[in-house]
Amino acid sequence: EVQLVESGGGLVQPGRSLRLSCTASGFTFGDYAMTWVRQAPGKGLEWVGIIRSKAYGGTTDYAASVKGRFTISRDDSKSIAYLQMNSLKTEDTAVYYCTRHSSGIAASTEDYWGQGTLVTVSS
Amino acid sequence: DIQMTQSPSSLSASVGDRVTITCRASQSISSYLNWYQQKAGKAPKLVIYAAYSLQSGAPSRFTGSGSGTDFTLTISSLQPEDFATYYCQQSYSTPLTFGGGTKVEIK
């Protein structure tokens, strides 16, 4: 069974940093890209960024709203994806989900989601 | 960036109704369109991928259609467990953008 478990959320002051972790199980982690998606309270879903598998160079892409402040990394030996968030702003307050990103012929999707972890940025 | 526009933003329907939600992309995305269902307080779940493919475990009353810029999610006979918010997402190019969501409420 595929499972994704996020951790590391909490209350943090503006300008500070926080690192989220996503621990995966039930599949060969290194074969998949992983993404982070967030949802501000009462709002819709916002894609944060992606890290591709080593087979695709392990490259990353980010939303403009977080580029230069957030960094996604992965440790395939531990089956963990990370989201390092620096220079946090109040508008980064959201539930952060990690997802498994599956790609195939003419298809690309977030097929499994974690339960999410809440990040609150406030003084 | 590709913009995704969903309509309506909300709708009220009864059990047994046929419900249709539309999603429009700001440029052609071929069939790189996914639909997710999110219930209150829960993580989203994939329902339809690649515009019309039913995710394993999703009920067959969910149907996706469209290609290019215009897409539709149809629920053929609304069930109590289908009341939720639905999001489309384009996966054609990064950033992978979502529509604003459609909340399906009980009439």
Side-chain angles (χ1 to χ4, degrees):
Chain A
E1 178 192 9
V2 172
Q3 285 197 316
L4 301 170
V5 179
E6 302 94 338
S7 59
L11 175 63
V12 61
Q13 293 179 327
R16 305 298 290 266
S17 298
L18 200 64
R19 188 179 80 161
L20 306 183
S21 299
C22 171
T23 302
S25 60
F27 64 101
T28 304
F29 181 78
D31 288 348
Y32 289 85
M34 299 297 292
T35 71
W36 289 91
V37 176
R38 69 183 180 182
Q39 187 169 36
K43 302 297 184 182
L45 301 172
E46 180 186 14
W47 183 83
V48 172
I50 188 169
I51 184 163
R52 298 175 181 84
S53 66
K54 292 291 194 294
Y56 289 88
T59 56
T60 53
D61 279 320
Y62 300 95
S65 58
V66 306
K67 195 168 186 178
R69 299 188 299 124
F70 288 13
T71 301
I72 300 173
S73 60
R74 63 189 299 154
D75 184 337
D76 290 352
S77 68
K78 296 180 179 178
S79 297
I80 299 177
Y82 300 100
L83 178 64
Q84 176 68 43
M85 304 184 291
N86 298 333
S87 304
L88 281 161
K89 305 176 181 180
T90 55
E91 52 264 41
D92 294 320
T93 294
V95 174
Y96 285 75
Y97 297 101
C98 76
T99 86
R100 187 179 84 166
H101 185 86
S102 291
S103 296
I105 299 173
S108 171
T109 187
E110 326 304 330
D111 59 353
Y112 288 93
W113 296 62
Q115 85 287 352
T117 188
L118 176 63
V119 172
T120 303
V121 184
S122 174
S123 54
Chain B
D1 297 0
I2 299 173
Q3 308 303 316
M4 305 301 293
T5 304
Q6 272 183 251
S7 62
S9 57
S10 65
L11 64 90
S12 295
S14 301
V15 172
D17 284 353
R18 181 181 182 89
V19 168
T20 299
I21 301 168
T22 63
C23 182
R24 174 165 288 176
S26 60
Q27 65 184 75
S28 178
I29 57 171
S30 184
S31 296
Y32 287 86
L33 191 284
N34 307 307
W35 291 97
Y36 301 90
Q37 176 194 67
Q38 186 179 33
K39 297 182 180 180
K42 301 293 187 182
K45 287 178 59 176
L46 177 66
V47 178
I48 297 285
Y49 66 95
Y52 57 84
S53 296
L54 189 67
Q55 172 68 352
S56 175
S60 58
R61 60 182 176 273
F62 288 91
T63 303
S65 63
S67 67
T69 61
D70 293 311
F71 301 86
T72 298
L73 174 69
T74 300
I75 309 172
S76 59
S77 177
L78 199 64
Q79 298 301 300
E81 59 267 31
D82 301 335
F83 291 96
T85 301
Y86 293 84
Y87 295 92
C88 62
Q89 179 212 28
Q90 66 82 15
S91 56
Y92 182 78
S93 65
T94 57
L96 307 182
T97 42
F98 290 90
T102 297
K103 187 173 184 179
V104 177
E105 300 175 299
I106 301 173
K107 181 183 283 186

